[in-house]
Amino acid sequence: MQKWAFILFLILPICSFATHNRAGEITYRQLSDYTFEVKVVTFTNTKPTSTGQVPADRPQLTILWGDNTGAYIDRDEYIDLPGYYRRNTYISSHTYPGPGTYEIVVEDPNRNEGVQNIPNSVNVVFSIRTIMQINPVLGINNTPVLLNPPIDKAAIGQVFIHNPAAFDPDGDSISYKLTPCSGENGAVIEGYTLPPSSN
């Protein structure tokens, strides 16, 4: 009995870490016909929660490649930024079976606490995804790169502007669209609402 109590004691501190995800992005670079280098960048909270819990830290994430395979990818680096932000970078390569459209998904439980337009955000899975289209007719295809990190602060009653400073290495045109936040399996979070706006 004492053996089990000791094992449970060792597990509990791991499970009691607080949540941390604030933002993230997936970009890819085509290395050859079907091989791509994929970079996942997450921006996480480093400030303890209102109850004093230390935010979780992820030296490894799971990625679903969109071709019915997945992998663990190790963190290459992290950089602590002002305002209790940490920029985490994970890089891995993957070879696809052939032409097609693939949805790459990364999930991590959970997101930051206190998000006003996500019910019980602290217990909602954080996920990011991107669509990859491999088509020999289109040729080499890379995602746009976002040059400005999403670490802006908003204020009540003030106009909020975030310019991601997107750059496309292929010279493709870029357009922006607000979409609902996604949770587990990349699905729209139940109860999610866009923040209210004046017009």
Side-chain angles (χ1 to χ4, degrees):
M1 192 66 155
Q2 291 176 345
K3 179 179 177 183
W4 287 107
F6 179 69
I7 292 171
L8 184 62
F9 176 75
L10 287 177
I11 293 171
L12 282 175
I14 296 169
C15 298
S16 67
F17 279 119
T19 59
H20 60 299
N21 286 294
R22 289 179 162 181
E25 63 194 46
I26 302 171
T27 57
Y28 57 78
R29 185 169 63 94
Q30 192 166 2
L31 302 178
S32 65
D33 289 347
Y34 303 125
T35 301
F36 290 77
E37 179 188 82
V38 176
K39 180 191 287 187
V40 177
V41 177
T42 62
F43 293 87
T44 55
N45 174 41
T46 59
K47 183 178 182 179
T49 66
S50 56
T51 60
Q53 289 181 301
V54 177
D57 184 44
R58 300 283 192 254
Q60 192 176 68
L61 288 177
T62 302
I63 187 167
L64 303 176
W65 298 112
D67 60 357
N68 296 317
T69 66
Y72 292 108
I73 53 174
D74 294 323
R75 181 170 56 194
D76 283 10
E77 69 170 0
Y78 70 83
I79 300 170
D80 286 330
L81 304 170
Y84 300 103
Y85 278 91
R86 174 171 288 168
R87 183 183 192 273
N88 306 276
T89 303
Y90 309 80
I91 299 174
S92 186
S93 295
H94 183 69
T95 300
Y96 285 86
T101 301
Y102 303 96
E103 182 179 67
I104 303 170
V105 179
V106 173
E107 292 183 359
D108 185 19
N110 298 356
R111 65 185 63 239
N112 223 20
E113 72 173 343
V115 178
Q116 296 297 308
N117 58 331
I118 298 176
N120 196 23
S121 65
V122 73
N123 291 316
V124 176
V125 169
F126 172 84
S127 73
I128 50 178
R129 58 190 170 148
T130 192
I131 302 295
M132 172 188 290
Q133 187 175 34
I134 303 176
N135 185 336
V137 175
L138 297 176
I140 298 295
N141 188 28
N142 304 289
T143 55
V145 177
L146 306 179
L147 303 176
N148 283 342
I151 58 174
D152 308 294
K153 297 287 185 181
I156 294 174
Q158 301 295 316
V159 174
F160 174 74
I161 297 172
H162 172 69
N163 178 5
F167 165 77
D168 192 282
D170 303 325
D172 296 334
S173 63
I174 300 173
S175 63
Y176 299 93
K177 177 183 175 183
L178 284 175
T179 61
C181 284
S182 59
E184 194 167 6
N185 299 318
V188 175
I189 296 167
E190 187 176 340
Y192 171 81
T193 56
L194 284 170
S197 63
S198 58
N199 55 44

